[in-house]
Amino acid sequence: MSTESKATLEKLVALCKRRGFVYQSAEIYGGLNGVYDFGYLGTLVKQNLRAVWLTAMNSCKGDMLQLEGSLLGSRAVWEASGHIQNFHDPMVDCLQCKHRYRADDIDLNKPCPHCGNKNWTEIREFNMMFKTYVGATAEQGSEAYLRPETAQAIFINFKNVISTNRVKIPFGIAQIGKAFRNEITPKQFLFRMREFEQMEMEWFCKGETAEKDFEYWCEQRHNFYAILGLTMSRIRMRPHAKDELAHYSKACTDVEYQFPFGWKELEGIAYRGDFDLSQHTKFSGKDLAVFDEETKTSYMPHVVECSVGADRLFLTLLFDSYDEDVVEGETRIVLRFNPAVAPIKAAFLPLTKKQSDATEKIYTAIKQTGLVVDFDESGSIGKRYRRQDEIGTPLCFTYDFESETDNAVTVRNRDTTKQERISIDKVESYLQDFFTKK
Ligand code: ATP
């Protein structure tokens, strides 16, 4: 992995579109700002990211459960969580060109970066939740909101989860799902979207152990990025200063990544005290405290939360694995994905169309093992290697004239471009070894 990133946002956006990782949503109608669709390769990478995240969650200390909460939440939920009152961003408009900004994103003592005039509106608070109505009548009682974070579904189901699973504090509930925020200025592609996916985990523990557990999770999450294969010099842990913390939050550390546009939050790890369960107890009138068999008293569990955006992580992965180098006198683009998250694990390439049937036979056999693989017979072999490099395929198997007599194929490694000859009946075990070793 090179230390200097060769990626720019423009290059990544173009690559994602060209190769079908990500499309602008409703593009044929001019596009919906801040909303994206994932194509075949993008879908595969996201599936892999979810799997790696879940594996990390499941391999932690203690029990880890899962939940898939609803996307719509009644007004009552968001009142209790504080989102109706507090989930605001400050917004300002240029009176001249009508451009809109997040007030904390720009210097209001300076002219509008868009038109050069200095004629600002007052700063207004803008609630970022998407509101809708459930049922046929639009009245306050039927108000609902698309969730701006997945976490609340975990808190409001806490009693259900604990009474239907034999778990004891401490334990965690992990959840992957969509969240919606009407961001004032969605930008930097998948970095700030209006519809995005979160991978969140709420860890329920006793107040006495919470600080230690918070430290444990900070360490776990730092390790996760090493396991994912990110360049660790571009990852840092940034503890929040006291004045940055929400009033209920006792500690918070952001995992930040060094993007070309600066160090930015990739994940938030927060010790939230017993705020969430206490709020829902207060607003719902249902006691969410748990009973401690040892002390024969009941107490409100404390919470440590780890929350990362799947799409933001996807963008990070693209930045981190994008590389350009020269192979056989030609510049190639290569995504040096960790094999575990590469969308296509291997490609099967006949040297000429004459060898297509024999190659396809090997491809089909491997595909039936469950590995996502590709078969490509069009264009020169060099071009096909470049195509696979550009989408991060770790291995290419080429069937050539000699294969008919020596029953072997050439396997080429994406990163080293080194080639070796292996017998066809060893392809499956070669792949198995390669993907379990990584
Ligand atoms: P930011 O300060 O960047 O707006 P935040 O502190 O509001 O983020 P959280 O509410 O802590 O973010 O959300 C947890 C994670 O969800 C973030 O670390 C990020 O990875 C992801 N995330 C938040 N907002 C967005 C968004 N608009 N688009 C994509 N991912 C997002």
Side-chain angles (χ1 to χ4, degrees), residues 181 183 191-193 196 198 265-267 307 309 312:
R181 295 182 188 179
E183 298 277 359
F191 185 83
R192 190 168 303 285
M193 303 156 80
F196 58 101
Q198 286 186 315
E265 173 180 336
L266 173 57
E267 168 161 358
S307 174
R312 199 176 281 187

Side-chain angles (χ1 to χ4, degrees), residues 68-187:
E68 192 177 310
S70 66
L71 308 190
L72 279 173
S74 74
R75 184 183 169 89
V77 173
W78 306 110
E79 248 160 13
S81 68
H83 281 83
I84 292 200
Q85 273 207 324
N86 302 321
F87 202 58
H88 293 131
D89 265 350
M91 174 172 80
V92 69
D93 293 316
C94 169
L95 281 166
Q96 215 73 30
C97 70
K98 312 287 180 228
H99 230 73
R100 179 160 285 175
Y101 300 92
R102 238 173 90 163
D104 52 354
D105 260 359
I106 51 162
D107 182 354
L108 294 175
N109 295 314
K110 290 194 177 151
C112 167
H114 190 245
C115 72
N117 291 290
K118 194 167 157 250
N119 197 358
W120 300 112
T121 60
E122 289 295 306
I123 296 175
R124 282 115 59 226
E125 291 295 340
F126 173 73
N127 191 297
M128 291 198 289
M129 283 196 296
F130 286 97
K131 182 158 118 181
T132 186
Y133 295 92
V134 172
T137 46
E139 56 192 27
Q140 209 188 27
S142 60
E143 257 177 45
Y145 292 83
L146 282 174
R147 61 184 185 186
E149 61 174 33
T150 62
Q152 295 306 319
I154 296 179
F155 301 133
I156 59 178
N157 276 297
F158 179 68
K159 264 274 137 96
N160 283 336
V161 170
I162 210 161
S163 64
T164 51
N165 297 276
R166 292 182 309 119
V167 278
K168 280 212 181 84
I169 303 269
F171 73 94
I173 304 178
Q175 180 176 212
I176 300 177
K178 289 270 186 167
F180 303 83
R181 295 182 188 179
N182 201 356
E183 298 277 359
I184 298 168
T185 44
K187 60 184 171 189

Side-chain angles (χ1 to χ4, degrees), residues 3-73:
T3 45
E4 269 301 295
S5 173
K6 292 182 181 140
T8 63
L9 198 58
E10 291 69 33
K11 285 182 189 174
L12 294 186
V13 172
L15 171 60
C16 281
K17 182 164 183 202
R18 186 167 71 245
R19 300 309 309 270
F21 281 96
V22 184
Y23 312 112
Q24 173 78 58
S25 184
E27 193 182 5
I28 60 168
Y29 293 102
L32 184 59
N33 200 5
V35 184
Y36 293 91
D37 297 329
F38 288 83
Y40 178 48
L41 297 179
T43 306
L44 291 170
V45 174
K46 280 188 69 182
Q47 276 166 7
N48 295 337
L49 280 176
R50 290 183 199 115
V52 176
W53 183 84
L54 270 177
T55 303
M57 283 299 153
N58 287 329
S59 56
C60 77
K61 65 172 187 182
D63 287 322
M64 185 60 66
L65 305 175
Q66 288 186 53
L67 184 84
E68 192 177 310
S70 66
L71 308 190
L72 279 173

Side-chain angles (χ1 to χ4, degrees), residues 240 242 244-252 269-273 275:
H240 282 205
K242 282 270 172 281
E244 274 182 277
L245 295 175
H247 64 95
Y248 52 82
S249 181
K250 301 207 181 324
C252 188
I269 307 162
Y271 170 25
R272 303 175 61 92
F275 175 77

Side-chain angles (χ1 to χ4, degrees), residues 335-374:
L335 289 181
R336 299 190 189 279
F337 281 146
N338 173 342
V341 294
I344 306 288
K345 304 301 182 196
F348 291 84
L349 317 170
L351 189 63
T352 70
K353 290 219 167 136
K354 281 206 190 88
Q355 286 109 16
S356 282
D357 287 352
T359 315
E360 209 168 353
K361 239 168 110 182
I362 313 170
Y363 156 76
T364 307
I366 298 298
K367 194 168 139 180
Q368 282 166 354
T369 68
L371 217 57
V372 182
V373 288
D374 193 13

